[in-house]
Amino acid sequence: MKFDAPATTNPIDRQCFIGQPLDRIEGQLKVTGSAPYAYERHGVVPDQAYGYIIGAGIAKGRIKAMDLDAARAAPGVLGIVTSANAGKLGKGKRNTARLLGGPEIEHYDQAIAIVVAESFEMARAAALLIRPDYEAQPGQFDLAAAQERAVKPESGDPDSAFGDFARDYAQAPVTLDETYTTPDQSHAMMEPHASIAAWKDGAVTIWTSNQMIAWGKADVAETLGLPPEKVRLDSPYVGGGFGGKLFLRADCILAALAAREVGRPVKVALTRPMIFNNTTHRPATRQRIRLGAAPDGRLLAIAHESWSGNLPDGATETAVHQTRLLYAAPGRLTRTRLARLDLPEGNAMRAPGEASGLMALEVAMDEMAERLGMDPVQFRILNDTQLDPENPERPFSQRHLVECLKRGAQRFGWAQRQAKPGQRREGGAFIGLGVAAGIRNNLLTKSAARVRLTRDCRLIVETDMTDIGTGSYTIIAQTAAEMLGVPMAQVEVRLGDSDSPVSAGSGGQWGRTTRPLAYTPPALRCASRSSRGWG
């Protein structure tokens, strides 16, 4: 379906449920502690044992030997899995590091073993008895030191150019050339990464916490060497993800390996320190931004170059991508370079690249406004664009940055702002006003759902879409009720099961940007929220 023309009127335009101040369907479950999060799903399968993961004590090198005797003999221990007895493991398409390390170690705290016991405390106590013998090797851990050896990535559209940046920058009356840095950052979502795994007839079911069910299912199958139909993931509630649960993680694979080893269901949760090192993090960046402007504030040239690090085969931080779209300038240049670093893998975290890239760009815009002696709001308004600056044949379908800046300035009292620092106090605090713009390119992907009408006129919607606290249950129920003319009370939404149709998943703002098809059921009219039947 192409959205290249204005949509005609369809049932969603009535807004009987869409846009109304309704209680969230899942709200009561969450505030009462009844929503079933991964580690707490005690009743999905009986006789659950507990797994405890240990991580590597070196940042790079190999395991020469691992003494497991004391751990095996500890009270309550049912089994131990390491790379030596895990069998042949693949690596998921979306994983950079192996989820079970050994004998080679790729980064500090990489999972190297899981101990399974009758209780969590028994598993943890036994895990602390394991004594790995390491052979440490030199590694690369500092981006600044590795910057000169950074290379152009082979994929991912790393560079762009439009016009003649070098000429326009050289001729610009006012210029800026600055380098900005951002640090490595890690997630700390409320719910830890956790999984419960159980096998039956050669197939594995994993109750887990994952944002993208179809991706997870495919990568479990790839890692364990199973046909996809032998893998089921179930994740009805995710207690925060922010990109850290987009991809298959060690808790999921090690729960499956441990359950297969001991012949019982096993539950596993990553400890907070292990989350920092066994999930994706935002890699550090070094960014050079050059701006050239005319005295009246019009940008003539803009260049944004970024360096970040990752493990071999890892991706770069996409810090320059928003600069390709946000401001107009005839001469343009962006470059992305990748340095090999022996750190936990870098990937999505609360927007891939935009957070670190926009920080640098917007600081540079403020600094250029100061050099021009120009109000930073007006500077941004002057350099707005209604066209893709690198592809002028592609206009924005909607872009309201100027309106946003003007309305924000009015509401925040921007006219009373004093540009010189330290001019305004409230009590013992200095008060300042600042401005920054943001943009994210619109990413679209297809989604599917199965909708069933029961004999008692209940509407059941099933999809592998997940809820990470964003209200997916309520949004989907509102949409179904609106489009099909049934009361919200008659709609049941079932999410997060890989046996359901594949959705966009909870990543890249996909969940809320799904647009319904223009379909009008016959003789449809608005249903009362208290109605028991069809509208």
Side-chain angles (χ1 to χ4, degrees):
M1 185 174 185
K2 292 185 177 180
F3 295 106
D4 55 1
T8 57
T9 300
N10 68 44
I12 208 165
D13 296 316
R14 298 167 309 174
Q15 298 204 336
C16 299
F17 306 104
I18 297 292
Q20 301 304 316
L22 305 173
D23 289 341
R24 281 170 59 152
I25 290 173
E26 72 282 4
Q28 184 174 355
L29 293 174
K30 289 180 176 179
V31 299
T32 59
S34 303
Y37 291 93
Y39 199 76
E40 302 157 353
R41 302 188 70 180
H42 312 297
V44 292
V45 63
D47 201 25
Q48 297 174 15
Y50 293 79
Y52 191 89
I53 300 173
I54 66 169
I58 60 172
K60 184 173 177 60
R62 64 188 311 274
I63 300 171
K64 294 194 296 184
M66 193 182 302
D67 186 352
L68 305 177
D69 291 344
R72 286 198 179 103
V77 170
L78 302 172
I80 301 174
V81 177
T82 71
S83 63
N85 67 336
K88 183 179 180 180
L89 297 177
K91 187 168 73 172
K93 176 182 177 181
R94 299 162 187 87
N95 293 132
T96 302
R98 289 172 296 125
L99 299 182
L100 176 61
E104 302 300 322
I105 301 300
E106 297 170 275
H107 60 81
Y108 174 72
D109 213 21
Q110 183 175 19
I112 59 172
I114 180 170
V115 177
V116 184
E118 294 288 357
S119 72
F120 169 82
E121 291 78 11
M122 288 176 170
R124 180 178 58 184
L128 296 176
L129 299 175
I130 294 177
R131 295 289 183 267
D133 182 13
Y134 300 108
E135 180 183 305
Q137 298 171 356
Q140 300 292 327
F141 311 107
D142 181 65
L143 177 60
Q147 182 173 340
E148 293 301 320
R149 296 187 297 276
V151 299
K152 178 181 177 180
E154 296 180 359
S155 61
D157 192 23
D159 295 357
S160 71
F162 185 83
D164 190 335
F165 168 79
R167 180 200 63 198
D168 293 343
Y169 182 76
Q171 294 177 357
V174 185
T175 61
L176 175 143
D177 185 348
E178 296 290 347
T179 297
Y180 307 90
T181 63
T182 62
D184 292 283
Q185 294 178 310
S186 294
H187 304 86
M189 63 289 295
M190 185 73 76
E191 180 201 24
H193 293 69
S195 298
I196 300 170
W199 292 80
K200 183 178 181 181
D201 300 329
V204 64
T205 298
I206 306 174
W207 297 270
T208 188
S209 183
N210 187 281
Q211 297 173 233
M212 307 291 282
I213 298 300
W215 291 3
K217 174 177 177 172
D219 285 346
V220 168
E222 177 69 25
T223 304
L224 298 180
L226 294 172
E229 60 270 19
K230 292 289 188 179
V231 177
R232 178 185 170 218
L233 264 59
D234 189 32
S235 183
Y237 289 95
V238 181
F242 311 113
K245 293 176 182 174
L246 287 175
F247 316 110
L248 182 66
R249 304 310 334 161
D251 62 291
C252 196
I253 287 299
L254 291 185
L257 292 172
R260 185 170 65 184
E261 173 70 14
V262 302
R264 277 176 58 180
V266 173
K267 65 168 55 182
V268 178
L270 296 183
T271 62
R272 190 64 69 187
M274 291 213 77
I275 290 173
F276 295 150
N277 293 299
N278 284 271
T279 70
T280 60
H281 79 289
R282 176 180 292 143
T285 67
R286 296 179 63 81
Q287 301 176 54
R288 182 190 183 190
I289 295 182
R290 287 173 285 173
L291 302 177
D296 66 357
R298 287 180 300 107
L299 283 174
L300 304 174
I302 181 169
H304 192 167
E305 299 167 274
S306 176
W307 292 260
S308 61
N310 213 333
L311 291 165
D313 301 323
T316 60
E317 181 73 330
T318 55
V320 306
H321 283 193
Q322 74 290 319
T323 304
R324 300 179 180 182
L325 292 167
L326 190 48
Y327 299 114
R332 313 182 66 85
L333 173 72
T334 68
R335 289 187 182 132
T336 302
R337 296 294 179 265
L338 179 65
R340 175 175 173 171
L341 295 179
D342 301 301
L343 296 173
E345 64 184 83
N347 210 311
M349 176 180 165
R350 293 174 177 88
E354 283 86 356
S356 50
L358 281 166
M359 183 285 300
L361 175 63
E362 290 301 283
V363 170
M365 289 292 287
D366 277 351
E367 292 178 343
M368 178 56 108
E370 184 177 2
R371 293 190 185 190
L372 291 162
M374 192 171 183
D375 180 273
V377 170
Q378 293 304 317
F379 181 48
R380 287 169 169 83
I381 289 174
L382 179 64
N383 290 288
D384 181 52
T385 177
Q386 294 298 311
L387 306 171
D388 180 342
E390 294 184 0
N391 183 9
E393 300 300 315
R394 188 176 75 140
F396 284 91
S397 57
Q398 292 188 55
R399 179 176 162 117
H400 300 284
L401 177 60
V402 170
E403 178 186 352
C404 178
L405 288 166
K406 288 181 177 179
R407 185 176 299 181
Q410 188 275 326
R411 290 189 176 184
F412 277 85
W414 188 262
Q416 286 74 50
R417 170 182 175 267
Q418 299 182 53
K420 186 178 179 180
Q423 299 301 298
R424 181 178 168 191
R425 282 180 177 270
E426 288 186 9
F430 287 110
I431 302 298
L433 289 177
V435 60
I439 191 170
R440 189 161 203 254
N441 202 8
N442 193 23
L443 305 173
L444 296 177
T445 190
K446 63 182 181 180
S447 276
R450 179 168 52 244
V451 181
R452 295 186 286 119
L453 180 64
T454 66
R455 290 181 180 273
D456 59 351
C457 286
R458 291 189 59 77
L459 199 67
I460 299 175
V461 183
E462 297 169 306
T463 174
D464 78 353
M465 180 65 186
T466 50
D467 179 282
I468 59 172
T470 47
S472 298
Y473 283 96
T474 304
I475 293 168
I476 292 172
Q478 285 175 286
T479 304
E482 196 80 72
M483 295 297 289
L484 297 177
V486 300
M488 284 271 289
Q490 290 177 215
V491 180
E492 178 183 349
V493 178
R494 299 175 181 175
L495 300 182
D497 190 332
S498 65
D499 285 348
S500 297
V502 175
S503 71
S506 294
Q509 301 177 352
W510 281 334
R512 287 194 172 192
T513 55
T514 301
R515 297 176 63 172
L517 298 177
Y519 165 70
T520 305
L524 188 66
R525 61 183 176 83
C526 231
S528 165
R529 291 181 205 159
S530 61
S531 170
R532 293 179 177 272
W534 284 91

